Amino acid sequence: RLHAGIEHHHAGQLAEAEQLYRSVSRADPNDADALNLLGILEYQHGQNLEALERLSKAIQVSPQTAIFHNNLGLVLVALGRHAEAAQRFEQAGRLDARLRDAFHNLGIARQELGQVEQAIAAYLKALSLAEEPATLSSLGEVYGQGDRREEAIRCFERALQLQPDHADAMLRLAGALLETGRAAEAKTWCRQALMGQPTVEVCVNLAHILLQRFEFTEAEQLARRALKLQPDDSRAFNNLGNALVA
């Protein structure tokens, strides 16, 4: 039943998966795998307090299972409890030094805590296990926060070599290029991101670049486009105001 539930889960059939997981858990309340999987489902549904209780119990039953600690860390991040989350990710890494996700997630938690060097170390450890675009993009963001912009640019460029449609890396690369005075290149990457993923963030950033290049008409259009997507975005209002008074 647990295996069938996992298949439903992977297929996105969450209600069916939950029914099977609960069936296993009723038969054996101390089945750690069922507790873990139910906790993941609750996390996916935004039921973070329930997931916290469920995953904590899974760890009580099986404290040496690294992925349980990693999953509990994700719930703690969702609850804004980043210091506790970092402890869980560290424990997951101690239990399984090959668990790449634990080190990537540790980097996120450390970054949220403002612990730049620790975040960099965690991301580098994750990259030593597997070179993933999301981790490269996150590492680049941390480098940028520490004014190491050329290293940040190299991370974003490598992420885009591995995944050319990675919109987040495009946007972050554009920001780093803009900060180093390379506005024309930043504009090119923002346009590419806009084609693939026309989000508020992309519209706002491209409008900002266009304002700096005195391209006010298009900046106004992008500001209005951002406001259609998110009517209360203060950055878009600011861009629109600057475009209109120029």
Side-chain angles (χ1 to χ4, degrees):
R1 283 179 295 178
L2 204 59
H3 180 71
I6 292 169
E7 289 184 346
H8 282 300
H9 201 160
H10 287 166
Q13 299 163 345
L14 302 186
E16 292 85 349
E18 181 177 0
Q19 184 178 6
L20 288 164
Y21 295 159
R22 289 193 184 279
S23 175
V24 173
S25 192
R26 280 194 299 270
D28 181 1
N30 289 320
D31 188 306
D33 290 322
L35 289 165
N36 173 61
L37 292 164
L38 278 168
I40 292 170
L41 269 179
E42 287 164 341
Y43 166 69
Q44 290 176 322
H45 287 310
Q47 299 168 334
N48 292 313
L49 292 176
E50 294 86 344
L52 180 69
E53 182 178 352
R54 192 90 57 184
L55 288 162
S56 296
K57 186 174 180 181
I59 289 170
Q60 288 176 1
V61 174
S62 182
Q64 299 303 309
T65 304
I67 194 65
F68 294 176
H69 291 274
N70 181 73
N71 292 342
L72 180 56
L74 292 174
V75 174
L76 289 164
V77 167
L79 290 168
R81 294 160 59 174
H82 296 101
E84 294 172 76
Q87 292 174 356
R88 290 298 173 177
F89 296 137
E90 286 178 334
Q91 179 65 4
R94 282 193 290 268
L95 292 168
D96 183 355
R98 304 296 299 174
L99 187 58
R100 192 203 71 85
D101 284 355
F103 297 103
H104 174 86
N105 293 331
L106 176 59
I108 293 172
R110 292 298 183 197
Q111 188 175 350
E112 288 291 335
L113 291 165
Q115 298 169 345
V116 172
E117 292 306 317
Q118 294 96 319
I120 289 171
Y123 287 136
L124 288 173
K125 173 62 176 176
L127 288 169
S128 74
L129 296 170
E131 198 176 26
E132 294 287 343
T135 305
L136 283 161
S137 184
S138 295
L139 176 59
E141 184 182 26
V142 180
Y143 278 143
Q145 291 171 348
D147 292 326
R148 296 163 65 174
R149 293 189 179 87
E150 291 303 324
E151 290 170 277
I153 287 169
R154 287 195 291 272
C155 284
F156 301 138
E157 288 176 338
R158 179 56 182 158
L160 289 164
Q161 287 176 352
L162 295 171
Q163 186 180 333
D165 63 347
H166 197 297
D168 182 66
M170 288 181 203
L171 190 58
R172 289 174 174 174
L173 175 58
L177 290 167
L178 185 63
E179 289 173 350
T180 55
R182 295 154 66 178
E185 292 175 75
K187 177 182 172 182
T188 298
W189 282 110
C190 264
R191 286 197 184 283
Q192 193 164 334
L194 187 66
M195 290 173 60
Q197 191 172 329
T199 62
V200 171
E201 199 70 25
V202 174
C203 292
V204 165
N205 280 273
L206 181 52
H208 178 67
I209 292 169
L210 292 168
L211 286 168
Q212 292 195 348
R213 294 174 62 81
F214 308 108
E215 298 177 37
F216 301 117
T217 300
E218 190 177 359
E220 177 189 347
Q221 293 170 351
L222 280 163
R224 293 187 186 281
R225 185 172 178 179
L227 288 168
K228 283 184 179 179
L229 294 169
Q230 189 169 322
D232 61 347
D233 192 287
S234 60
R235 301 165 303 167
F237 274 116
N238 187 57
N239 286 340
L240 180 58
N242 289 332
L244 291 172
V245 301

